Amino acid sequence: MTELMQRILPTVQKPARYTGGEWGEIKKDLKDVRVRVAFCFPDTYEIGMSNLGMRILYGVMNGMDGVWCERVFAPWGDMEQAMRDNSLPLWALESQTPVREFDMIAFTIGYEMAYSNILNMLNLAGVPLRSKDRQGLKNIVFAGGVCAFNPEPLADFIDFFSLGEGEDITVEILQLYDRAKAEGWSKDAFLHEAAKIPGVYVPSFYRHEYNADGTLAAIVPLEGVPQTVTKRIIEDLDNAYFPTKMIVPSTEIVHDRANLEVFRGCIRGCRFCQAGFIYRPVRAKSPDTLCSQGKALCESTGYEEMSLASLSTSDHPQVEEMLDKIIDYTQEEHINLSLPSLRVDNFSAELLEKVSRVRKSGLTFAPEAGTQRLRDVINKGVTEEEILRTSRIAFQGGYTSVKLYFMLGLPFESMEDVLGITALGQRVVDLYSSLPTKPKGRGVNVSISVATFVPKPFTPFQWAAQNTYDQIVEKQHALTHSVTTRKISLAWHEVRTSVLEGVIARGDRRLGKAIYNAWKLGCKFDSWEEFFDFDKWQQAIAAAGLTMEFYASRERTEDEILPWDHIDVGVSKAFLRREYERASRAEVTPNCREKCAGCGANMLIGGGACIG
């Protein structure tokens, strides 16, 4: 660490964010390293170190001969100012080497509101922002993660995207780069060879053409690259790489515990949920694998809390056996076990008994909509009877606190559906009051959290118009006035953030200019209240000759070319359109375990059964 850094760190918040040196970090001798990767997370250390995908790929890359991957996080405002004042470039934690000295710069992107931070981090590093301005093999910038499935808003800045699960494709990319560097290839030659790797998308090899009304007219592949790029998946999770030795942060992070991935994908077909479609098909780890990995994680890190990570933990095909094995271990070793992502419709007294053995805090469920009609529209597959039955089981088991998640602004939503949110909360309160077994002297608390719906690519609602700011605010006011008891508490997210998220999520390549404009105006950390400036984003989008309404609050036609149509996640566009039409009729599609709906994801595993 330089003397300058030593002088700066005591003057900023949480200096441990910037020092490295944690238990479990990986250092290598530079004489054994041929390829150096700066692995960037475009948010704070506390958020990035909680990201399981980043931990997995950190281990994958550092497990390769001749490759050293180091971590880089976005500096908070006070640290950034100190860096700029002192001409101190962005550095990697393991070696404190400036990012501009690395061969490859990788970003993992899980949230559209982090895009301005990507530009800010490159600028802090002294690396040219636009791909066309970076010559040679030095500082090749690539990106992956959920947001990479619509790569176009970042097409000007990222050299190539890695689509899908990264355990295998990352190894192939780095092996190719190692060869290119050794043989002295040009950047163009490397990108042409990289484009041949299944799952790699190079934006500069595709031309986007537009109609007079601003919609896409064509996506034209150039120079022999594929018409479509198909995501990569890992078929066998039991034998896939999983880091049983992880870095233990030296400062508190958001999820400061051992995170154990249970399975990937989801059997449900919730029509609003991007993750539920892009992570198909379902692949689960066996109970034995989960127990051994969880045990190894806790022993190597010293963590006294473990969390099971998935889109729907209780949908694991062997959930009872899995929980029995893990709970036996955690109880014996006095390790707390967190079980998020439980489903209302498969929550049983037996499952409650298992949950109660590991925690006695409030339970969280996600009905998502307040009326049965709207739950059918979104294909939630949950009835009011199941919600009340689950609440009854929880209350009879001694719970007095329930948290319910909902969304506002869903497609085909009416004001009756909106008011149904608090009406359902009231029925849960009334149920508690009616129970003769309720604890004496203890009241019930029903917390209702309401998010604004954002249409996302590769969902049946990718064609839907997003509610405007004024429409959402009107619905929020109606909800507030419908609450008649202090036993119900209401909370919601900042609406303007969701509006901007809706703009970027379905943006095309022209939006890159707006992102650049926003960064120039000082936008960064847009998911944080302390920094988010909606007015600057409006100004940036207008200066690019674009409108928010075109991207967010406009319904797409069935025949419109979408900016991500050249990306294949395994779920067909025809299936998604059928689901959108079924939503308009409030028709429910059975979950994958009940009946295959023909989404197409099974073709990614050879056309066989795709239920893990």
Side-chain angles (χ1 to χ4, degrees):
M1 185 181 297
T2 66
E3 180 183 347
L4 177 59
M5 287 170 61
Q6 288 179 327
R7 283 194 282 113
I8 288 174
L9 288 176
T11 69
V12 301
Q13 300 177 47
K14 301 182 181 180
R17 290 167 164 168
Y18 313 108
T19 58
E22 309 101 317
W23 174 268
E25 76 169 7
I26 296 173
K27 291 196 173 186
K28 295 191 176 184
D29 191 328
L30 280 177
K31 74 178 187 325
D32 300 322
V33 175
R34 299 184 302 275
V35 179
R36 297 189 71 180
V37 182
F39 195 8
C40 302
F41 191 90
D43 211 316
T44 64
Y45 176 93
E46 298 95 302
I47 305 294
M49 284 300 295
S50 300
N51 184 275
L52 182 57
M54 188 170 190
R55 288 176 176 267
I56 290 173
L57 293 182
Y58 179 82
V60 165
M61 287 188 269
N62 280 314
M64 296 178 65
D65 174 64
V67 175
W68 187 13
C69 169
E70 303 183 49
R71 297 160 298 141
V72 184
F73 301 98
W76 194 244
D78 57 348
M79 185 63 181
E80 179 188 338
Q81 190 60 54
M83 291 168 64
R84 293 193 184 278
D85 289 346
N86 293 276
S87 301
L88 191 62
L90 187 66
W91 66 87
L93 294 190
E94 279 72 7
S95 65
Q96 281 81 53
T97 302
V99 169
R100 65 178 175 234
E101 296 183 18
F102 281 73
D103 298 302
M104 306 190 81
I105 301 171
F107 283 92
T108 180
I109 318 169
Y111 188 30
E112 292 85 356
M113 303 306 288
Y115 287 9
S116 60
N117 267 10
I118 294 173
L119 272 60
N120 204 44
M121 291 176 75
L122 289 174
N123 178 260
L124 279 168
V127 174
L129 300 187
R130 292 185 172 87
S131 175
K132 65 181 181 181
D133 296 328
R134 298 189 295 268
Q135 303 300 316
L137 282 183
K138 197 77 170 179
N139 297 161
I140 295 289
V141 178
F142 70 106
V146 174
C147 291
F149 288 112
N150 178 18
E152 298 312 321
L154 292 173
D156 292 343
F157 314 108
I158 306 296
D159 292 314
F160 68 89
F161 291 85
S162 171
L163 304 180
E165 296 163 1
E167 289 93 333
D168 291 343
I169 189 175
T170 304
V171 172
E172 295 168 24
I173 289 167
L174 296 186
Q175 287 174 338
L176 179 67
Y177 183 89
D178 192 6
R179 177 186 162 201
K181 184 179 178 182
E183 297 178 4
W185 294 4
S186 67
K187 177 180 179 179
D188 188 65
F190 168 71
L191 291 178
H192 270 90
E193 287 302 307
K196 298 176 184 177
I197 297 175
V200 168
Y201 170 62
V202 183
S204 59
F205 295 158
Y206 294 78
R207 184 177 72 247
H208 287 226
E209 300 173 353
Y210 298 89
N211 297 308
D213 64 359
T215 59
L216 265 171
I219 301 173
V220 183
L222 309 172
E223 305 179 50
V225 296
Q227 179 73 44
T228 59
V229 180
T230 303
K231 75 173 185 183
R232 296 287 290 272
I233 68 165
I234 302 298
E235 290 193 32
D236 183 2
L237 291 187
D238 277 337
N239 292 305
Y241 173 82
F242 187 79
T244 52
K245 294 181 179 180
M246 290 186 178
I247 297 171
V248 180
S250 52
T251 187
E252 187 176 359
I253 62 175
V254 174
H255 300 302
D256 205 1
R257 51 183 175 261
N259 287 302
L260 182 61
E261 184 182 31
V262 175
F263 64 92
R264 293 181 188 175
C266 184
I267 66 170
R268 312 289 170 168
C270 300
R271 292 169 179 140
F272 58 85
C273 181
Q274 186 183 45
F277 291 100
I278 63 175
Y279 288 127
R280 291 187 180 199
V282 175
R283 292 139 295 142
K285 294 181 183 179
S286 70
D288 287 339
T289 297
L290 288 167
C291 193
S292 64
Q293 289 181 348
K295 180 179 179 181
L297 261 179
C298 291
E299 289 178 351
S300 68
T301 61
Y303 274 123
E304 296 179 346
E305 182 177 356
M306 183 195 304
S307 178
L308 302 186
S310 74
L311 293 175
S312 179
T313 301
S314 50
D315 278 332
H316 188 283
Q318 297 165 278
V319 62
E320 302 281 351
E321 180 184 351
M322 173 191 74
L323 289 179
D324 282 339
K325 286 179 178 291
I326 293 176
I327 290 171
D328 285 346
Y329 166 72
T330 54
Q331 282 194 318
E332 182 180 335
E333 298 297 324
H334 306 290
I335 293 169
N336 294 321
L337 182 63
S338 175
L339 300 172
S341 306
L342 298 175
R343 289 276 306 189
V344 168
D345 55 343
N346 60 10
F347 192 84
S348 62
E350 291 75 22
L351 186 56
L352 177 71
E353 188 273 331
K354 288 180 170 55
V355 172
S356 298
R357 288 166 59 191
V358 297
R359 67 175 184 180
K360 202 69 174 182
S361 58
L363 290 172
T364 300
F365 299 104
E368 309 293 2
T371 65
Q372 192 58 53
R373 186 197 68 84
L374 195 56
R375 285 192 293 273
D376 291 345
V377 164
I378 65 176
N379 206 47
K380 183 63 183 177
V382 170
T383 66
E384 182 171 315
E385 180 182 52
E386 288 168 334
I387 296 168
L388 296 177
R389 178 187 62 81
T390 298
S391 299
R392 181 185 296 272
I393 291 171
F395 294 150
Q396 289 176 335
Y399 288 80
T400 60
S401 177
V402 174
K403 189 168 187 176
L404 302 176
Y405 281 108
F406 295 91
M407 281 186 285
L408 276 183
L410 286 161
F412 312 110
E413 179 182 73
S414 69
M415 190 57 75
E416 180 183 350
D417 299 312
V418 172
L419 298 178
I421 292 174
T422 48
L424 180 57
Q426 185 62 53
R427 283 192 281 277
V428 174
V429 169
D430 295 342
L431 170 67
Y432 178 86
S433 301
S434 70
L435 295 176
T437 56
K438 65 179 182 293
K440 291 184 178 180
R442 295 182 64 188
V444 67
N445 177 254
V446 177
S447 299
I448 294 177
S449 181
V450 186
T452 299
F453 166 72
V454 178
K456 291 294 180 85
F458 298 109
T459 68
F461 291 156
Q462 65 182 356
W463 290 276
Q466 184 181 23
N467 274 194
T468 65
Y469 172 81
D470 290 340
Q471 287 173 320
I472 292 297
V473 169
E474 179 186 1
K475 292 174 180 180
Q476 288 180 343
H477 288 162
L479 272 181
T480 300
H481 291 116
S482 68
V483 177
T484 58
T485 174
R486 292 183 179 179
K487 295 173 182 177
I488 294 176
S489 56
L490 268 179
W492 40 64
H493 301 163
E494 163 58 49
V495 180
R496 289 183 175 89
T497 304
S498 298
V499 171
L500 181 58
E501 182 184 347
V503 170
I504 298 174
R506 294 188 292 176
D508 55 39
R509 191 168 288 194
R510 296 169 302 178
L511 206 59
K513 185 176 181 181
I515 295 170
Y516 178 82
N517 292 344
W519 170 75
K520 287 289 286 184
L521 289 170
C523 292
K524 60 189 174 186
F525 284 110
D526 293 305
S527 60
W528 295 79
E529 285 185 16
E530 298 94 318
F531 289 94
F532 181 56
D533 192 325
F534 189 68
D535 292 339
K536 286 182 179 178
W537 271 100
Q538 287 182 306
Q539 182 181 340
I541 291 170
L546 306 169
T547 68
M548 287 191 169
E549 292 74 18
F550 177 83
Y551 293 105
S553 52
R554 176 181 65 87
E555 181 161 3
R556 278 65 170 161
T557 60
E558 181 177 357
D559 60 351
E560 181 173 336
I561 297 174
L562 303 174
W564 50 90
D565 273 351
H566 54 310
I567 306 297
D568 182 7
V569 300
V571 177
S572 73
K573 189 175 182 180
F575 167 78
L576 295 174
R577 188 66 198 188
R578 289 198 304 271
E579 284 296 290
Y580 189 39
E581 291 166 356
R582 290 176 68 85
S584 70
R585 301 188 296 268
E587 294 179 5
V588 174
T589 299
N591 72 60
C592 299
R593 197 162 282 150
E594 294 176 4
K595 181 182 178 182
C596 178
C599 74
N602 64 331
M603 298 308 296
L604 295 173
I605 51 175
C610 57
I611 297 298

